[in-house]
């Protein structure tokens, strides 16, 4: 069974940094594209970025709103995905979801339960 | 970035109704489109991928169609558990973009 469990959320001041982790199990992480998606309180879903699989050299893509501030990385040996967030803004406040591709196509298929990041002074 | 526009933004319906939600892309996305269901406080759930392929475990009353710029999600006979918010997503190119959501209410 595919499982994704995020951790690392919390309260951080504007301009601060935070690192989210996602523990993956039930599949081989290196075979899959992995996305981060966020949802601000009461708002819709926003794609944050992705890391491609090993076959595509783990290359990354980011939303314009986070490019240059957020970095996605992965440790396939530890079956973990990471989101390093820096220069955080109030508008980065959201629940952050770790997702795995559907398997046949790249759209997010399996989702974690999410972790809340609150950026506030 | 490709804009995904859903309509309607909200919809009132009854159990047993047939419901259609549409998603329009600002430029062609082939069939690189997914549909998601989200209930309050829960993570989204993938219903449809590649515009018309039913994700494993999803009830047959859900179906998707379309290609290029115009897509639809149809629920053939609404069940009580279907009242939720629905989102479309394109991954034809980057950045991946979601529609703004359609809230389906009783």
């Amino acid at each position: 069974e595919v499982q994704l469990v995020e951790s690392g959320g919390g309260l951080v001041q504007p301009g601060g940094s935070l690192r989210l982790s996602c523990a993956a199990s039930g599949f081989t992480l290196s075979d899959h594209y992995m996305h981060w998606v966020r949802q601000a309180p009461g708002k819709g879903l926003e794609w944050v970025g992705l890391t491609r699989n090993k076959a595509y050299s783990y290359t990354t893509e980011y939303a314009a709103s986070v490019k240059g501030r957020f970095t996605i990385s992965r440790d396939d040996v530890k079956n973990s995905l990471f989101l390093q967030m820096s220069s955080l803004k109030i508008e980065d406040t959201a629940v952050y979801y770790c997702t795995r591709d559907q398997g046949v196509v790249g759209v997010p298929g399996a989702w974690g339960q999410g972790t809340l990041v609150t950026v506030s002074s | 970035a490709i804009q995904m526009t859903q309509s309607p933004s909200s919809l009132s319906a009854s159990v047993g109704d047939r419901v259609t939600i549409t998603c329009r892309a600002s430029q062609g996305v082939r069939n690189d489109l997914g549909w998601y269901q989200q209930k309050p406080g829960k993570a989204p759930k993938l219903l449809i991928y590649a515009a018309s392929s039913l994700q494993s475990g999803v009830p047959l009353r859900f179906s998707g169609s379309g290609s290029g710029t115009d897509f639809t999600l149809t629920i053939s006979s609404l069940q009580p558990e279907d009242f939720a918010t629905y989102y479309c997503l394109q991954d034809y190119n980057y950045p991946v973009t979601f529609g703004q959501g359609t809230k389906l209410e009783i």
Side-chain angles (χ1 to χ4, degrees):
Chain A
E1 180 191 3
V2 173
Q3 282 200 320
L4 299 165
V5 180
E6 301 93 338
S7 61
L11 176 63
V12 60
Q13 292 188 335
S17 298
L18 202 61
R19 188 194 199 205
L20 305 184
S21 300
C22 172
S25 60
F27 64 99
T28 302
L29 189 61
S30 61
D31 289 343
H32 293 273
Y33 285 32
M34 300 294 295
H35 303 251
W36 287 96
V37 175
R38 69 184 180 182
Q39 187 169 36
K43 302 298 184 182
L45 300 169
E46 181 186 14
W47 180 77
V48 172
L50 67 76
T51 170
R52 295 182 178 87
N53 58 15
K54 184 177 181 180
Y56 287 89
S57 304
Y58 303 127
T59 50
T60 53
E61 303 283 349
Y62 297 95
S65 58
V66 307
K67 196 168 187 178
R69 301 188 299 122
F70 289 13
T71 301
I72 297 173
S73 61
R74 59 201 291 169
D75 184 334
D76 289 346
V77 174
K78 295 183 178 179
N79 290 322
S80 294
L81 180 73
F82 305 101
L83 180 65
Q84 178 68 48
M85 305 183 292
S86 60
S87 303
L88 282 161
K89 306 175 181 180
I90 291 175
E91 53 264 36
D92 294 319
T93 295
V95 173
Y96 284 74
Y97 294 101
C98 164
T99 81
R100 196 205 78 174
D101 67 27
Q102 185 271 342
V104 174
V105 297
V107 298
W111 295 63
Q113 84 288 350
T115 187
L116 176 63
V117 172
T118 302
V119 185
S120 175
S121 55
Chain B
I2 296 176
Q3 291 191 350
M4 306 300 290
T5 303
Q6 289 181 230
S7 60
S9 295
S10 63
L11 175 61
S12 293
S14 301
V15 172
D17 284 353
R18 179 184 180 90
V19 166
T20 297
I21 298 169
T22 65
C23 181
R24 175 163 288 176
S26 60
Q27 63 187 77
V29 298
R30 297 186 311 193
N31 70 335
D32 295 331
L33 184 113
W35 286 99
Y36 296 84
Q37 176 194 67
Q38 187 181 32
K39 297 181 180 179
K42 300 294 187 181
K45 173 186 175 183
L46 178 65
L47 302 174
I48 301 287
Y49 65 94
S52 60
S53 296
L54 192 68
Q55 174 71 350
S56 177
V58 174
L60 293 175
R61 62 182 180 272
F62 290 92
S63 64
S65 65
S67 182
T69 60
D70 295 303
F71 302 87
T72 60
L73 172 71
T74 299
I75 310 172
S76 60
S77 178
L78 273 174
Q79 299 302 300
E81 60 267 30
D82 300 335
F83 292 94
T85 300
Y86 293 84
Y87 296 91
C88 62
L89 167 150
Q90 69 79 24
D91 75 332
Y92 172 70
N93 68 9
Y94 299 104
V96 171
T97 45
F98 286 92
Q100 81 278 13
T102 295
K103 188 172 184 180
L104 180 52
E105 300 175 300
I106 299 174

